[in-house]
Every structure is written in structure tokens, then in C-alpha cells.
């Protein structure tokens, strides 16, 4: 429950940061009128890799600050969502993502089936989607983009169940080490946060007929 609470707080912070940025002409001009957007993207990557690589060495408080800092930076870079899509489409994508996420999280928490093999397959398929997304940039085919988006949604929905079950395994592997449990909880919240964001993002692409003119 604490992991999901942390994740949802991160999502809320991201949404507020995205809305604030999209509502500010100063921020819009800074992001899309200068190379600053690339600095924010680099900052995101640095935070994620640093948090993942140093989770056993840093304190829980530092890990928490890094997670929420990532949520803010990610919200700033995702502000383009409010500029590119109508609110109706954003709401539809969000609630669809929330329902899919909730169903698969419950499944991952309650199923007795080992999802390790499925998770490994999903990770390989994700690499395929990333490669296909790069190719689509040069191909510029809307039908191809749509197929990629549906595939990505299916993959990340599956990863929600896999990541949830993996967190249960990590919890038991800590042997009661409370501090490690808290820090692994931050990594878990980050994993689930990224799953949700990607489901939401690809659903936006699927519901792209609601783009602003």
C-alpha cells in the first residue's frame, strides 16, 4: 500500500508539473524555444540510472527525494501532452490506463502463477517495440504507429502484473530488513510509475484523433 501510495503521489506531482508548465508561456518558450528540453530529458535519465544503481548505498530519504524530483522533471517534459491533445482525450486515456493498471496490479498481487518467464518475454518484446518506434520515425506510416502503440500498451499492461509480483519476491528476500524494504519500495514505485506513464502515453497515441488543431 505504501508503494502504491508513493507511486500515485508521484503521478499527481507529474500531472501538476505538466499542467503548470503548459499553462506558463515562460516555461513553454523556455522548453520549446531553446535546447532546454534536452537538458530535462538528460536529467530524467541521470536520476533514474543513479537511483537504480545506488539504491543500496543511499538513504531512504535521498531515494524518496530523487523519485519525486524525477516526477517533477518528467512532468515538465510531458507538458506537451496538454498542448497536443484535447482534455477529453487526456481524461479518456488516463481513466483507461488506470483501469487496466488496477486490474493487472490485482492480478499480479493475487495470482499464484510464476510470471518470471512472461516478464522476460515482455522485456524482449519491449526491445522490439523500441526498435520499431525508431524505424517508424523514418517510415512515417500512421498505421504502423498504431500497431506499435497497441503492442506497447499490451506489453506495459503485462509488465504491471510482472512488476507487482516481483515486488512481493523482493519483499520476502529482504528477510525483515526494514530499511532495505523501504528503499526497494521506492524502486518499486518507480517501476510501476513508468509502467503507468507508458500505458497512458501510448493510449494517447491510440486516441490521437483528439489532437488539437
Amino acid at each position: 500500500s505504501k508503494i502504491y501510495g508513493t507511486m500515485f503521489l508521484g503521478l499527481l506531482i507529474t500531472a501538476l508539473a505538466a499542467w503548470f508548465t503548459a499553462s506558463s508561456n515562460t516555461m513553454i518558450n523556455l522548453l520549446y524555444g531553446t535546447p532546454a528540453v534536452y537538458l530535462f530529458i538528460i536529467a530524467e535519465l541521470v536520476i533514474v540510472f543513479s537511483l537504480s544503481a545506488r539504491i543500496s548505498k543511499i538513504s531512504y530519504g535521498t531515494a524518496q527525494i530523487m523519485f519525486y524530483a524525477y516526477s517533477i522533471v518528467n512532468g515538465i517534459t510531458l507538458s506537451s501532452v496538454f498542448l497536443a491533445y484535447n482534455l477529453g482525450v487526456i481524461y479518456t486515456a488516463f481513466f483507461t490506463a488506470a483501469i487496466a493498471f488496477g486490474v493487472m496490479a490485482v492480478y499480479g498481487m493475487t495470482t499464484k502463477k510464476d510470471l518470471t518467464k512472461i516478464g522476460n518475454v515482455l522485456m524482449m518484446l519491449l526491445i522490439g517495440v523500441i526498435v520499431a518506434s525508431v524505424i517508424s520515425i523514418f517510415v512515417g506510416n500512421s498505421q504502423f504507429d498504431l500497431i506499435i502503440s497497441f503492442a506497447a500498451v499490451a506489453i506495459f499492461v503485462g509488465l504491471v502484473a510482472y512488476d507487482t509480483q516481483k515486488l512481493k519476491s523482493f519483499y520476502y528476500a529482504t528477510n525483515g530488513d526494514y530499511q532495505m524494504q523501504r528503499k526497494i519500495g521506492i524502486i518499486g514505485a518507480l517501476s510501476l510509475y513508468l509502467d503507468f506513464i507508458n500505458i497512458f502515453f501510448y493510449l494517447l497515441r491510440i486516441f490521437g484523433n483528439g489532437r488539437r488543431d
Side-chain angles (χ1 to χ4, degrees):
S1 61
K2 289 181 179 179
I3 289 174
Y4 283 106
T6 300
M7 184 205 86
F8 283 119
L9 182 55
L11 288 174
L12 178 60
I13 290 172
T14 295
L16 291 174
W19 174 80
F20 172 79
T21 302
S23 303
S24 169
N25 289 330
T26 302
M27 289 296 294
I28 291 173
N29 292 332
L30 174 65
L31 277 178
Y32 305 110
T34 70
V37 65
Y38 298 108
L39 296 178
F40 282 103
I41 293 173
I42 292 172
E44 286 183 272
L45 295 174
V46 169
I47 293 172
V48 167
F49 286 120
S50 298
L51 182 57
S52 301
R54 296 179 55 80
I55 189 63
S56 62
K57 299 179 181 178
I58 60 178
S59 68
Y60 169 72
T62 301
Q64 203 172 31
I65 290 171
M66 291 176 72
F67 172 72
Y68 291 129
Y70 176 80
S71 300
I72 294 172
V73 176
N74 196 37
I76 292 172
T77 58
L78 288 177
S79 60
S80 58
V81 166
F82 285 99
L83 303 176
Y85 296 93
N86 292 321
L87 286 178
V89 172
I90 294 173
Y91 291 148
T92 301
F94 177 83
F95 285 115
T96 304
I99 292 170
F101 182 96
V103 170
M104 295 308 291
V106 171
Y107 174 75
M109 185 65 69
T110 58
T111 185
K112 298 188 177 178
K113 181 178 181 180
D114 186 359
L115 301 179
T116 303
K117 291 183 179 179
I118 295 175
N120 292 335
V121 171
L122 290 174
M123 292 304 295
M124 289 188 288
L125 290 174
L126 180 58
I127 293 173
V129 164
I130 293 172
V131 173
S133 297
V134 174
I135 294 173
S136 72
I137 295 174
F138 301 99
V139 174
N141 187 304
S142 59
Q143 298 248 337
F144 188 45
D145 284 342
L146 192 62
I147 292 172
I148 292 173
S149 296
F150 274 109
V153 168
I155 290 169
F156 282 107
V157 164
L159 284 174
V160 171
Y162 169 70
D163 286 337
T164 301
Q165 187 179 79
K166 184 172 66 175
L167 285 172
K168 287 176 62 179
S169 300
F170 285 167
Y171 173 80
Y172 292 118
T174 59
N175 294 319
D177 186 337
Y178 180 64
Q179 290 302 318
M180 184 54 67
Q181 287 174 359
R182 295 174 81 196
K183 290 192 283 187
I184 287 177
I186 295 294
I187 292 295
L190 178 62
S191 297
L192 294 171
Y193 169 97
L194 291 173
D195 290 339
F196 185 94
I197 288 291
N198 279 286
I199 294 170
F200 171 68
F201 175 75
Y202 283 105
L203 283 173
L204 277 177
R205 294 180 63 177
I206 293 172
F207 300 140
N209 60 337
R211 276 184 175 277
R212 294 183 186 274
D213 296 329

